[in-house]
Amino acid sequence: MSHPAFFRDETAFLDALKQRHTGAVGYFFDRYHRRVDRTLCAVLGPDAEIPDLVQEVFTRALASIPRFRGDFAQLEGWITRIAVYTARTQIRRRRTARRWTSQAPAEESSVADPQASPEIVDALRRAYTLIERLPVKERIPFVLRTMDQMKLEEVAATCEISLATTKRRLKSARARLDRHAQSDPVLVDWLRRGPSS
């Protein structure tokens, strides 16, 4: 059974979550916080603010849950969309701040596995330096597909765009990155080994 044992069924769990039942809220966080963390890391790359943003996603989700009309199976996709929205807001917030201030970027954390080799960590850092230059509308589908390894249909649903638009944005993002990466053999190889459309 996929719902927590102390609720009668999935509908009862959703009702309890909408009423902010402590057990339901705790289960909701435990079940989905890794999904949220992974989505934020994929979109934002190395970022020391990820833990705060995870909390922001769940705060938004709990504020919106009374209006949620889906079923239990749709919760993961719904909170993933909130994570993408939160990441998009963070990207735009930072771009605006950089335009108006000389503030140094926040200290980075790593999106790589702690056991990852220095070469992999370096490749990720180089990749995200280029990915940050993409338009947001291309960056998000690209990282969800490439870093988070979502299926094309999942990317389209998460970004709330059509499958055809998803494919166009992925193609455009890859073309931009390929042009920017030509002088870096590490990144050229990484892009060539990315998932096919």
Side-chain angles (χ1 to χ4, degrees), residues 36 39-40 43-44 53 56-61 64 67 77-93 136 140 144 157-160:
V36 169
T39 300
L40 292 170
V43 176
L44 296 171
L53 293 171
E56 185 175 331
V57 170
F58 279 94
T59 298
R60 289 178 189 273
S64 301
R67 299 186 296 279
W78 177 74
I79 198 163
T80 301
R81 286 192 293 278
I82 295 174
V84 166
Y85 172 83
T86 302
R88 183 186 296 125
T89 300
Q90 181 75 349
I91 291 167
R92 290 177 173 156
R93 188 185 301 148
V136 176
I140 292 175
L144 292 178
T158 300
C159 295
E160 299 181 293

Side-chain angles (χ1 to χ4, degrees), residues 46-117:
D47 195 311
E49 292 187 48
I50 294 292
D52 290 338
L53 293 171
V54 169
Q55 296 298 324
E56 185 175 331
V57 170
F58 279 94
T59 298
R60 289 178 189 273
L62 290 172
S64 301
I65 195 67
R67 299 186 296 279
F68 178 72
R69 295 293 175 260
D71 59 24
F72 185 85
Q74 295 171 304
L75 269 178
E76 182 171 356
W78 177 74
I79 198 163
T80 301
R81 286 192 293 278
I82 295 174
V84 166
Y85 172 83
T86 302
R88 183 186 296 125
T89 300
Q90 181 75 349
I91 291 167
R92 290 177 173 156
R93 188 185 301 148
R94 287 192 176 160
R95 287 182 176 175
T96 300
R98 279 199 293 267
R99 228 178 266 132
W100 296 103
T101 71
S102 58
Q103 181 181 2
E107 180 186 345
E108 291 184 349
S109 60
S110 177
V111 293
D113 186 294
Q115 306 298 319
S117 69

Side-chain angles (χ1 to χ4, degrees), residues 7 9-20 24 65 68-73 75:
F7 292 106
D9 54 30
E10 294 171 357
T11 301
F13 164 72
L14 282 173
D15 289 343
L17 184 60
K18 290 176 181 182
Q19 294 168 25
R20 304 286 185 92
I65 195 67
F68 178 72
R69 295 293 175 260
D71 59 24
F72 185 85
L75 269 178

